[in-house]
């Protein structure tokens, strides 16, 4: 007789910035094909963008809401020449506004005990896992701390219960990854249980605070997209890739049956399921396709609710006008306007900071002194040892196999409109296990 501990499992989401759209696609597949993997998980860990996805899953925020907010943040970042680094772009404020609008009033009650947020304490650089929240505002504050990337989001980090914290990825980007019963999810190709598969040869890997990242051109693109969002069509494709990788993970672990979901009436419609074209928009010159702003094949496996969000985002990025609109983007008239907006945006940010200037400067002075003291103490103590190796969840907990025989494997009603036209079993060879350190396989 197996113990109850053997039937428990956890899920851990690594931080990945704007690549969080990958988690939207992956979780939509899991909720459609095998929802008890998320529903019955004892703990859901997350750092940075992974914490936002973990909070959405534990509090019941719809995935289409997460997708809408993320696409909006990316759209606002692409408006500026400097992207997210422009003074007028306040990523942390956008995250806060989206959380306050999406989280239910009892979000802190739903999240307490199940959601574990990775934070990095500024005073000593130690990792802190937070899982108890007294109010909805406290939950929002903990998520903001976990998403605060120093200098990328600002200078003064936010506080949780009066203590300053920064992005949890700084100290532990994949919480609880060393436990055998934790299913690790990452948007970068590596050794995580659910992650992209590499299409190009890779002989090296690096570890960033417990996250395995193989060194290749595809991962370099993903790392760049983490901080600087790509075009909406590329983000839609990343979302689709997350769905495909999640399906492969479920199949490899025998958690779903091989038959695809039943065909729905929406899929039989001659028009694209992602939008209802009342009026045919202006087409690109030389294009004969009606859905020219987004190739429907890129998002064919996603649920209809996500298709609509991605379709609207792509249409907004290409409002029509054909060749004239593309030429106007290259005109030098926009360059002087950028120089005019930069100082005014910077002045507004500084004016917003002035009321707390004295308190923040005092904290910066004390934090700098504490940092110098900690570095001096570490130099005297020396190296304490090597961190334990990150391991895959090689044999999934017994509880998952029991869930696979239940009726819960049928698609959810809200996501049952998805369909795979030509189902191909995804059974690639297993990813070779590498040592934690940076290793050269050619030698």
């Amino acid at each position: 007789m197996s113990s109850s501990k053997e039937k428990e499992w956890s899920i851990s989401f690594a931080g990945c910035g704007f690549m969080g759209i990958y988690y939207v696609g992956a979780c939509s597949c899991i909720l459609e094909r095998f929802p008890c993997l998320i529903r019955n998980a004892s703990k859901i860990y997350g750092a940075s963008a992974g914490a936002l996805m973990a909070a959405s899953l534990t509090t019941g925020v719809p995935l289409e809401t997460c997708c809408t907010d993320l696409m909006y943040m990316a759209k606002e970042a692409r408006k500026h020449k400097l992207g997210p680094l422009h003074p007028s772009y306040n990523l942390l404020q956008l995250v806060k506004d989206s959380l306050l609008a999406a989280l239910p009033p009892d979000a802190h009650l739903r999240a307490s005990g199940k959601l574990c947020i990775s934070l990095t304490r500024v005073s000593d650089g130690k990792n802190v896992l937070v899982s108890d929240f007294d109010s909805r505002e406290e939950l929002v504050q903990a998520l903001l701390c976990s998403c605060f990337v120093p200098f990328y989001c600002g200078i003064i980090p936010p506080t949780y219960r009066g203590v300053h914290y920064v992005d949890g990825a700084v100290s532990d980007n994949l919480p609880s990854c060393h436990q055998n019963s934790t299913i690790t999810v990452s948007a970068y190709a590596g050794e995580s249980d659910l992650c992209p598969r590499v299409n190009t040869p890779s002989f090296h890997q690096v570890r960033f605070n417990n996250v395995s990242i193989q060194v290749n051109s595809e991962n370099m693109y993903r790392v760049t997209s983490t901080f600087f969002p790509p075009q909406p069509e590329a983000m839609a494709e990343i979302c689709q890739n997350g769905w495909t990788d999640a399906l492969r993970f479920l199949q490899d672990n025998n958690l779903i049956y091989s038959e695809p979901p039943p065909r729905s009436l929406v899929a039989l419609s001659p028009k694209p399921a992602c939008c209802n074209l009342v009026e045919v928009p202006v087409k690109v010159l030389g294009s004969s396709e009606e859905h020219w702003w987004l190739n429907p094949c890129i998002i064919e496996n996603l649920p209809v609710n996500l298709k609509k969000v991605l379709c609207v985002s792509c249409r907004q990025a290409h409002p029509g006008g054909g060749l004239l609109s593309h030429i106007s983007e290259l005109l030098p008239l926009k360059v002087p306007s950028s120089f005019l907006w930069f100082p005014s945006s910077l002045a507004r940010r500084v004016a917003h900071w002035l009321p707390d200037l004295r308190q923040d400067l005092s904290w910066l002075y004390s934090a700098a002194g504490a940092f110098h003291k900690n570095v001096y103490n570490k130099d005297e103590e020396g190296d304490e040892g090597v961190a334990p190796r990150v391991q895959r969840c090689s044999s999934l907990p017994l509880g998952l196999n029991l869930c696979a025989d239940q009726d819960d494997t049928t698609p959810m009603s809200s996501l049952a409109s998805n369909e795979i036209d030509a189902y191909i079993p995804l059974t690639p060879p297993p990813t070779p296990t590498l040592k934690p350190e940076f290793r050269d396989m050619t030698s």
Side-chain angles (χ1 to χ4, degrees):
M1 181 67 66
S2 59
S3 62
S4 59
K5 289 293 182 181
E6 294 177 346
K7 296 182 180 180
E8 293 184 357
W9 65 89
S10 303
I11 305 175
S12 182
F13 292 91
C16 59
F18 289 103
M19 283 292 295
I21 194 69
Y22 179 88
Y23 295 155
V24 174
C27 292
S28 68
C29 178
I30 296 175
L31 290 176
E32 176 188 354
R33 305 299 298 275
F34 194 66
C36 70
L37 178 67
I38 293 176
R39 291 175 179 173
N40 298 343
S42 59
K43 301 283 186 181
I44 301 183
Y45 299 87
S48 193
L52 297 179
M53 177 52 62
S56 300
L57 294 175
T58 53
T59 58
V61 177
L63 288 179
E64 56 267 28
T65 302
C66 302
C67 186
T68 301
D69 294 339
L70 187 55
M71 296 299 288
Y72 175 76
M73 297 176 193
K75 172 189 172 183
E76 293 298 311
R78 287 192 298 265
K79 285 183 178 179
H80 311 289
K81 299 297 181 181
L82 298 178
L85 301 180
H86 196 275
S88 64
Y89 184 78
N90 192 341
L91 178 59
L92 211 64
Q93 185 62 43
L94 293 176
V95 173
K96 182 178 181 180
D97 294 340
S98 64
L99 290 174
L100 293 177
L103 292 178
D106 61 341
H108 60 290
L109 300 178
R110 302 184 186 185
S112 294
K114 185 170 185 178
L115 172 65
C116 298
I117 303 175
S118 176
L119 305 176
T120 302
R121 192 163 49 210
V122 177
S123 59
D124 55 4
K126 300 294 184 180
N127 182 261
V128 178
L129 285 178
V130 178
S131 59
D132 295 322
F133 313 97
D134 296 334
S135 64
R136 180 172 175 264
E137 291 71 20
E138 198 171 78
L139 172 60
V140 171
Q141 205 62 30
L143 291 171
L144 293 178
C145 290
S146 184
C147 295
F148 184 88
V149 181
F151 302 106
Y152 180 82
C153 295
I155 300 177
I156 306 299
T159 60
Y160 171 74
R161 294 183 176 179
V163 180
H164 289 273
Y165 294 94
V166 296
D167 195 335
V170 175
S171 55
D172 190 354
N173 199 22
L174 197 59
S176 190
C177 62
H178 302 294
Q179 297 181 6
N180 291 328
S181 60
T182 300
I183 301 172
T184 55
V185 187
S186 173
Y188 313 106
E191 292 185 348
S192 299
D193 295 304
L194 200 168
C195 65
R197 295 293 178 90
V198 294
N199 296 322
T200 57
S202 177
F203 301 101
H204 303 85
Q205 73 163 338
V206 295
R207 292 196 180 278
F208 175 70
N209 295 332
N210 292 334
V211 176
S212 168
I213 304 177
Q214 295 184 359
V215 180
N216 53 49
S217 57
E218 297 174 7
N219 268 344
M220 291 297 294
Y221 172 78
R222 296 184 182 105
V223 172
T224 303
S225 301
T226 297
F227 300 99
F228 298 93
Q231 293 299 318
E233 298 91 338
M235 296 188 69
E237 187 174 3
I238 294 172
C239 187
Q240 165 86 352
N241 293 338
W243 191 96
T244 305
D245 293 335
L247 179 64
R248 179 189 295 115
F249 168 78
L250 295 176
Q251 289 177 329
D252 290 345
N253 292 279
N254 299 320
L255 298 179
I256 59 173
Y257 301 108
S258 58
E259 293 82 5
R263 181 181 292 269
S264 62
L265 296 177
V266 178
L268 296 174
S269 175
K271 294 183 179 181
C274 55
C275 61
N276 184 13
L277 298 178
V278 180
E279 296 181 0
V280 178
V282 180
K283 303 175 183 178
V284 177
L285 297 179
S287 174
S288 59
E289 296 183 1
E290 193 176 64
H291 206 263
W292 54 267
W293 58 89
L294 177 62
N295 185 357
C297 296
I298 295 180
I299 56 175
E300 61 179 348
N301 291 334
L302 295 175
V304 177
N305 49 5
L306 294 183
K307 288 182 179 181
K308 291 181 179 179
V309 174
L310 297 173
C311 178
V312 170
S313 300
C314 293
R315 287 188 65 178
Q316 292 176 349
H318 305 288
L323 185 61
L324 182 60
S325 63
H326 292 283
I327 293 178
S328 62
E329 300 238 346
L330 302 177
L331 293 177
L333 298 177
K334 290 189 175 183
V335 176
S337 63
S338 299
F339 284 103
L340 292 176
W341 276 102
F342 189 91
S344 61
S345 301
L346 182 60
R348 286 196 298 269
R349 294 291 293 271
V350 172
H352 180 72
W353 182 41
L354 283 178
D356 301 327
L357 179 61
R358 181 177 179 180
Q359 180 181 358
D360 291 340
L361 288 179
S362 176
W363 175 84
L364 280 175
Y365 179 79
S366 60
F371 176 78
H372 179 270
K373 182 178 180 181
N374 289 333
V375 171
Y376 180 77
N377 292 335
K378 288 183 179 179
D379 290 341
E380 290 185 345
E381 294 175 0
D383 191 7
E384 297 181 355
V386 182
R389 181 179 179 220
V390 181
Q391 53 191 357
R392 283 174 175 265
C393 186
S394 54
S395 65
L396 294 180
L398 299 178
L400 285 179
N401 297 330
L402 296 177
C403 293
D405 297 332
Q406 299 176 0
D407 295 334
D408 205 9
T409 57
T410 56
M412 299 176 65
S413 58
S414 61
L415 300 174
S417 57
N418 178 48
E419 182 221 347
I420 308 176
D421 295 330
Y423 177 75
I424 302 176
L426 301 173
T427 56
T431 305
T433 303
L434 302 179
K435 291 185 177 181
E437 64 272 7
F438 190 93
R439 185 181 178 186
D440 188 354
M441 299 294 294
T442 59
S443 59

